[in-house]
């Protein structure tokens, strides 16, 4: 591809408006996530019996990034619900995912080609949210890189941190699956993307903004498609295991186990010799 054409495409991607199509994809995936979460397992039973709880939990996921970011930045938490257009659009998507005739909308959304399209649109929106989070936090807390990256993560993967609360709304309490105990690839990818945008702001990355932004979009889309089509759910795991083995005590634990085995083996050998001698004497 001609470099200028590639740059033109990257520039177009940076200027895409998220409303309404990218937002619809996001809302649809969040409502599907609520519906498919245990103990519902994709059925419409919960939405029939508890429509209010289903709607509230879906809205919490739909606007999770903004809700958590506002809370952390000391702004009004309910500000995301101020936009009637966004709230109405999310509610319409929620209704059709759960109550469409013959469950048609949900079945279409789960059909793999349509699901791929939804996730591609979602990853473009995620990049936009991460970039906006980094930009807003950098203006409020210039030089506070941890805060800036944290807001970028929350903007990009806020629904993963909101899962515990929205499950409580639906009567589920699963504390062992929170994001601090088991970080998802979405959170890790949002962290890496936020770091890239921070490095760009600090002039450590000198490439054009459109190229960096488009690179992050392609990175997120590539690994999401790898997860859907190839079953590669977390490519960071091998690096995490290596890091933990070297720097988090794994190497020393393995050495300690090896030394304890060596101590036990001679004792076991001595005991076996004594037993053999006793049998001979008998």
């Amino acid at each position: 591809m001609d470099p200028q054409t590639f740059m033109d495409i990257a520039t177009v991607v940076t200027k895409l408006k998220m409303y309404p199509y990218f937002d619809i994809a996001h809302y649809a995936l969040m409502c599907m996530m609520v519906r498919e979460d245990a103990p519902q397992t994709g059925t419409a039973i919960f939405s029939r019996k508890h429509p209010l709880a289903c709607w509230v939990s879906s809205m919490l996921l739909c606007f999770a990034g903004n809700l958590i970011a506002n809370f952390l930045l000391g702004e009004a938490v309910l500000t995301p619900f101020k936009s009637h257009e966004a709230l109405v659009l999310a509610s319409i998507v929620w209704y059709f995912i759960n109550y469409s005739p013959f469950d048609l909308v949900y079945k279409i959304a789960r059909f793999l080609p349509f699901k791929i399209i939804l996730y591609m649109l979602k990853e473009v929106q995620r990049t936009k949210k991460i970039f906006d989070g980094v930009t807003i936090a950098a203006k409020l807390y210039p030089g506070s890189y941890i805060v800036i990256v944290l807001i970028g993560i929350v903007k990009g993967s806020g629904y993963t941190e909101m899962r515990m609360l929205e499950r409580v709304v639906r009567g589920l309490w699963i504390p062992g699956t929170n994001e601090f105990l088991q970080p998802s690839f979405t959170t890790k990818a949002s962290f890496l993307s936020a770091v890239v945008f921070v490095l760009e702001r600090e002039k450590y990355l000198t490439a054009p903004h459109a190229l960096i932004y488009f690179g992050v979009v392609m990175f997120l889309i590539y690994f999401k498609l790898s997860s859907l089509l190839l079953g590669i759910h977390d490519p960071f795991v091998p690096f995490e295991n290596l890091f933990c083995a070297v720097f988090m005590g794994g190497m020393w634990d393995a050495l300690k186990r090896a030394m304890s085995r060596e101590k036990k083996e001679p004792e076991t050998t001595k005991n076996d010799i004594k037993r053999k001698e006793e049998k001979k004497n008998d």
Side-chain angles (χ1 to χ4, degrees):
M1 183 183 292
D2 180 36
Q4 185 58 43
T5 303
F6 185 82
M7 183 60 66
D8 292 340
I9 295 173
T11 304
V12 170
V13 172
T14 60
K15 296 180 180 179
L16 288 172
K17 294 182 178 180
M18 299 297 104
Y19 183 88
Y21 302 111
F22 295 90
D23 287 343
I24 289 175
H26 168 66
Y27 298 150
L29 291 172
M30 295 302 100
C31 294
M32 290 169 62
M33 185 177 295
V34 172
R35 175 167 174 168
E36 294 171 357
D37 193 27
Q40 299 163 223
T41 62
T43 65
I45 296 174
F46 185 85
S47 61
R48 298 293 193 273
K49 292 184 177 181
H50 308 284
L52 178 60
C54 182
W55 179 80
V56 171
S57 58
S58 297
M59 294 305 105
L60 285 176
L61 290 191
C62 289
F63 299 97
N66 291 334
L67 291 171
I68 300 176
N70 286 358
F71 173 76
L72 295 177
L73 294 174
E75 300 180 4
V77 177
L78 296 179
T79 300
F81 297 124
K82 183 175 67 174
S83 174
H84 295 155
E85 292 180 350
L87 188 59
V88 169
L89 181 61
S91 299
I92 291 173
V93 173
W94 164 80
Y95 180 84
F96 280 105
I97 289 294
N98 290 282
Y99 303 105
S100 62
F102 307 106
D103 217 11
L104 186 61
V105 174
Y106 175 73
K107 292 177 180 177
I108 292 175
R110 279 188 54 82
F111 186 49
L112 185 59
F114 288 98
K115 197 172 185 178
I116 289 174
I117 294 172
L118 290 176
Y119 272 111
M120 291 177 66
L121 295 175
K122 167 61 187 172
E123 297 310 317
V124 175
Q125 190 213 45
R126 191 191 311 280
T127 306
K128 173 68 173 173
K129 286 185 174 183
I130 296 171
F131 177 75
D132 289 345
V134 169
T135 303
I136 293 170
K139 291 179 180 178
L140 295 175
Y141 299 95
S144 301
Y145 301 118
I146 294 178
V147 175
I148 296 171
V149 171
L150 178 62
I151 299 302
I153 295 172
V154 166
K155 284 280 191 176
S157 62
Y159 65 89
T160 60
E161 288 81 20
M162 187 66 77
R163 291 301 300 274
M164 183 178 294
L165 178 58
E166 69 87 12
R167 280 173 171 166
V168 170
V169 172
R170 292 186 286 114
L172 293 176
W173 175 244
I174 313 176
T177 59
N178 70 73
E179 199 64 15
F180 294 99
L181 289 174
Q182 299 174 341
S184 63
F185 171 73
T186 301
T187 300
K188 299 171 190 175
S190 298
F191 166 75
L192 186 60
S193 302
V195 170
V196 169
F197 288 132
V198 169
L199 292 176
E200 180 196 6
R201 289 186 63 87
E202 297 300 319
K203 309 300 182 183
Y204 290 106
L205 297 179
T206 57
H209 168 68
L211 188 61
I212 295 174
Y213 188 96
F214 189 62
V216 173
V217 171
M218 296 306 296
F219 163 76
L220 294 175
I221 290 178
Y222 173 78
F223 282 106
K224 179 54 67 175
L225 294 182
S226 298
S227 175
L228 289 174
L229 302 176
L230 304 177
I232 304 174
H233 298 292
D234 193 345
F236 292 124
V237 169
F239 302 101
E240 290 175 1
N241 293 338
L242 178 62
F243 179 83
C244 291
V246 176
F247 297 105
M248 297 297 176
M251 181 172 58
W252 305 114
D253 291 340
L255 183 61
K256 184 179 178 180
R257 288 193 296 269
M259 292 177 64
S260 63
R261 287 197 204 100
E262 290 178 0
K263 290 180 180 179
K264 289 179 180 179
E265 285 176 0
E267 293 178 359
T268 304
T269 305
K270 291 179 180 179
N271 293 332
D272 291 339
I273 293 172
K274 288 182 179 179
R275 289 173 186 170
K276 289 180 181 179
E277 290 179 352
E278 290 176 355
K279 289 181 179 180
K280 288 180 180 178
N281 293 331
D282 293 340

